Amino acid sequence: MLTRREFNFSMLAAPAVVGTALDKAPARAIGMDGNEAAACKVTRQWTGAICRASVTNSGTQAVKLREIVLFEGPHGYGPETKLYGEGFTMLSQTGGTLGAPQAIGGYLDRKHYRIPEPADATTVYSVACLSPAANRHELMAFTSSRRYAGRFHFRPSTLQVTLDCEGLELAAGQTWPLEEFVRLEGTNRATLFEQLGGLIAKNHPPLKWTAPPEGWCSWYCFGPKVTAQQVRDNLEWIAKNAPNLKYVQIDDGYQPAMGDWLETGTAFGGDIRAVLKEIKTRGFEPAIWVAPFIAEEKSKLFTEHPGWFMKDEQGAPLASNKVTFGGWRRGPWYALDATQPAVQQHLKTVFRTMNQEWGVTYFKMDANFWGAMHGGRLSDAKATRVEAYRRGMEAIIEGAGRSFLLGCNHPMWPSLGLIHGSRSSGDISRKWSTVRMVASENLNRAWQNGRLWWNDPDALVLLGDLPEDEFMFHAAATYATGGMLLSGDDLTKMTPERKALLLKLRPTGQAAAFDPEFKIGRMKRPGHELVFVLNWSDQTVTQSFLLPGLVQVKDFLTDEDMGRHRGDCEVPEMPPHSGRVFQLGG
């Protein structure tokens, strides 16, 4: 039901470049003892909103640097100022306010991955947005990620912007170029992020893929015990009912050990290639899960090539649980050192074999964070962990040919320009707490979709024990991302109603533009407009949106005709945890 009430609407002004007291403080190079390295001079050069910096050792001795302090000083904002910041890893995002920061997802880099951070600061990575008012926003970001991890350390009254140098040695007379940085201010937050996406793309041109992929994933219905017959049964259903689900993805469970991706596991009768071939024969694209940078201790890869892995201080392979999260299955994992040519060749061989001999044209690459794991020693002593990861990914790109590459559980900014798709949330599950969390993660990153890569909001699940309202919230929030769509259900159990809904939610390639609270979103489509209305709360609420004149309104998810309306329309008494999508015109 829709009703009409009064509504006032005002346009937001265009953004402008900002300068603050942060620029007045000198930049500093910090040595391993925590003190300023006096011989190392940091220079900053501004061109409009963009800052390019470098550090030069003007002394006569080499210096090991812990970090570069690019900016520091008072931020000038009160504790009520809204904060948004990216994480180093996919699973980490920070929201809330300066006075009360909150994890948007279920994890933070400091706690989950044990990435060293100052104990007295809130640390975010790569991007930080401060919003002291609804129409006032300051966006600061690193627009490149070639060598260093960029960090923002917020304290009650100060901000420190740093680059992690990882103890690398700057030789006498040597200069290192640093990451590019941008600062923008404006009244329209979305416009600032659009500008940021364009600047990042200049430094890291995205890998091109025409449209967001559609497909099916085995993990969310069968987990690691997936069988060949289960894949075949779902393939049959897809062929008859939803041929648009082009990529049929076999997830974790086919391999005998983490790291032994080309060996045969028992789940597929010892021959996964037969199932992949059948997918191809039926006219679909074989897709597979692989965690290219890790191996378990008993794997053939680790036992035959222990020298290929990151080392501890004693020169032995470094078990990941000594410095970070050890892994969610069959850990602790060991991380490949992709600065080694032999490791790069191994990665090329794995992906080339799967592509050319197995027929795989879509790779879901998981656990990529471990390719940039902190705390390990690399074979190339002059390389950072960002460089190690990027070298490994370049080898993967070469081996995978013209395949789609999806980054999952990956270091976010170090993946720029190296993946076609990026998971934008943690794993979905059929629980409201997870549905809500995943939706928030995805919508906060929706600006990246189509600019940096195609976003993967994780699988769409339409079957299970969730109440109907929560399923509709999940469907609406997932569709609003405009990103990839992979079904996570056992499709052989689909009802006609769920099948019809699944076929509606094909990727649009564009994200809806939401208000700051992600309650009302709008998406222009050819011939019509879609309006997304989400009730995140535990209470029944009434929400409203403005119509662009006298238009026909339809419930997009149910096809219910709502009649013709004009002005401001109410959606009364929306149940808790519910979502609606309205089609205007068309």
Side-chain angles (χ1 to χ4, degrees):
M1 179 179 178
L2 295 174
T3 60
R4 180 180 173 181
R5 68 179 180 84
E6 294 298 319
F7 185 83
N8 293 320
F9 181 78
S10 61
M11 296 297 294
L12 297 177
V17 176
V18 66
T20 73
L22 287 178
D23 299 335
K24 299 177 182 178
R28 299 180 291 126
I30 306 299
M32 295 304 291
D33 60 1
N35 297 316
E36 182 174 356
C40 298
K41 306 299 182 184
V42 180
T43 60
R44 300 180 303 215
Q45 182 177 1
W46 287 90
T47 304
I50 296 172
C51 178
R52 297 179 179 90
S54 63
V55 58
T56 300
N57 182 355
S58 58
T60 59
Q61 301 292 324
V63 180
K64 290 186 176 181
L65 296 180
R66 188 181 75 184
E67 64 184 359
I68 301 295
V69 178
L70 196 58
F71 304 99
E72 64 179 339
H75 52 62
Y77 294 112
E80 73 286 352
T81 300
K82 291 185 177 180
L83 167 68
Y84 175 78
E86 263 294 347
F88 181 76
T89 65
M90 179 206 82
L91 290 176
S92 184
Q93 291 169 280
T94 299
T97 64
L98 284 176
Q102 298 177 351
I104 292 174
Y107 304 92
L108 284 176
D109 292 319
R110 182 202 306 261
K111 293 183 178 180
H112 185 65
Y113 289 105
R114 292 153 51 193
I115 297 177
E117 297 173 0
D120 65 336
T122 296
T123 297
V124 301
Y125 293 78
S126 307
V127 178
C129 184
L130 297 174
S131 301
N135 63 347
R136 185 182 169 204
H137 311 279
E138 181 175 355
L139 179 64
M140 298 169 283
F142 288 94
T143 51
S144 71
S145 183
R146 297 185 176 94
R147 195 175 194 218
Y148 309 99
R151 304 171 300 195
F152 299 82
H153 304 305
F154 288 97
R155 295 177 175 88
S157 60
T158 64
L159 168 62
Q160 193 177 56
V161 183
T162 70
L163 290 160
D164 186 3
C165 297
E166 302 180 27
L168 297 188
E169 188 172 270
L170 180 61
Q174 187 179 16
T175 296
W176 290 343
L178 303 174
E179 305 298 346
E180 186 180 276
F181 182 82
V182 67
R183 297 176 61 189
L184 301 168
E185 184 182 53
T187 58
N188 190 320
R189 186 177 184 274
T191 300
L192 298 182
F193 277 98
E194 289 175 12
Q195 291 179 337
L196 174 60
L199 292 171
I200 290 171
K202 290 181 179 179
N203 285 310
H204 299 286
L207 293 188
K208 295 297 185 182
W209 202 264
T210 305
E214 301 176 76
W216 174 82
C217 171
S218 67
W219 181 255
Y220 298 97
C221 45
F222 301 123
K225 296 182 179 180
V226 60
T227 67
Q229 190 57 49
Q230 289 167 335
V231 175
R232 289 190 178 101
D233 291 344
N234 278 270
L235 174 63
E236 182 68 23
W237 190 95
I238 291 168
K240 291 180 178 179
N241 298 282
N244 57 293
L245 301 180
K246 179 180 178 181
Y247 295 95
V248 178
Q249 186 212 301
I250 298 171
D251 215 283
D252 184 6
Y254 67 89
Q255 73 282 0
M258 295 292 193
D260 294 340
W261 313 114
L262 298 182
E263 304 295 322
T264 54
T266 59
F268 291 82
D271 186 12
I272 189 175
R273 295 174 63 177
V275 182
L276 295 171
K277 182 178 180 180
E278 188 170 341
I279 293 169
K280 193 73 171 180
T281 300
R282 296 294 298 270
F284 295 89
E285 295 297 328
I288 203 164
W289 177 95
V290 61
F293 292 97
I294 63 148
E296 62 183 273
E297 187 173 17
K298 294 184 179 180
S299 66
K300 183 177 179 181
L301 178 65
F302 183 79
T303 56
E304 292 184 357
H305 303 285
W308 285 3
F309 294 82
M310 295 184 193
K311 305 296 191 300
D312 61 19
E313 290 299 324
Q314 288 71 46
L318 175 64
S320 59
N321 63 341
K322 292 184 178 180
V323 294
T324 187
F325 177 50
W328 58 82
R329 215 162 68 82
R330 296 162 78 162
W333 296 338
Y334 293 81
L336 284 169
D337 173 4
T339 68
Q340 297 187 37
V343 172
Q344 295 166 19
Q345 185 58 51
H346 159 74
L347 292 170
K348 291 177 191 176
T349 298
V350 168
F351 282 79
R352 183 177 291 125
T353 300
M354 285 186 165
N355 174 239
Q356 296 183 2
E357 298 182 21
W358 294 20
V360 174
T361 57
Y362 174 117
F363 293 95
K364 176 184 175 181
M365 299 177 297
D366 209 345
N368 274 23
F369 157 74
W370 279 261
M373 185 175 71
H374 59 280
R377 291 172 52 190
L378 301 171
S379 177
D380 182 352
K382 296 181 179 180
T384 67
R385 67 185 190 275
V386 171
E387 289 177 303
Y389 171 71
R390 291 185 67 85
R391 291 178 197 178
M393 285 300 302
E394 288 164 358
I396 287 171
I397 291 171
E398 183 176 340
R402 301 181 60 135
S403 302
F404 184 87
L405 297 175
L406 171 66
C408 186
N409 213 324
H410 52 299
M412 291 293 291
W413 254 230
S415 297
L416 290 169
L418 298 173
I419 52 178
H420 298 94
S422 172
R423 265 285 290 276
S424 47
S425 73
D427 285 4
I428 191 63
S429 72
R430 295 165 177 84
K431 297 188 301 183
W432 167 246
S433 59
T434 306
V435 167
R436 189 183 195 284
M437 179 179 70
V438 164
S440 181
E441 292 175 280
N442 285 324
L443 294 178
N444 272 289
R445 285 180 170 145
W447 67 273
Q448 299 171 9
N449 187 57
R451 294 188 178 94
L452 308 183
W453 37 52
W454 293 121
N455 280 11
D456 173 16
D458 202 21
L460 176 72
V461 292
L462 299 176
L463 300 178
D465 295 330
L466 276 177
E468 183 68 6
D469 287 329
E470 294 175 3
F471 270 123
M472 291 302 102
F473 180 100
H474 169 58
T478 302
Y479 191 55
T481 70
M484 299 163 53
L485 183 137
L486 270 74
S487 170
D489 290 312
D490 180 354
L491 296 174
T492 65
K493 298 179 180 179
M494 275 283 177
T495 64
E497 294 77 17
R498 284 298 195 250
K499 170 188 167 183
L501 181 57
L502 175 63
L503 293 175
K504 278 180 178 293
L505 301 176
R506 302 191 63 181
T508 63
Q510 63 181 106
F514 272 87
D515 66 279
E517 304 299 325
F518 298 113
K519 293 179 179 179
I520 306 292
R522 309 185 80 111
M523 180 189 294
K524 292 285 189 181
R525 302 295 299 146
H528 64 270
E529 183 181 14
L530 296 176
V531 177
F532 299 81
V533 186
L534 302 177
N535 180 8
W536 302 77
S537 77
D538 298 331
Q539 308 297 322
T540 297
V541 300
T542 293
Q543 302 202 84
S544 66
F545 59 92
L546 184 68
L547 296 170
L550 180 63
V551 294
Q552 188 73 28
V553 181
K554 182 174 76 170
D555 188 311
F556 178 78
L557 300 180
T558 67
D559 283 332
E560 179 186 358
D561 189 344
M562 315 298 292
R564 292 172 67 82
H565 298 266
R566 72 166 72 243
D568 184 39
C569 290
E570 287 187 342
V571 187
E573 299 185 352
M574 287 188 69
H577 312 166
S578 63
R580 305 281 297 275
V581 183
F582 297 98
Q583 179 175 315
L584 312 183

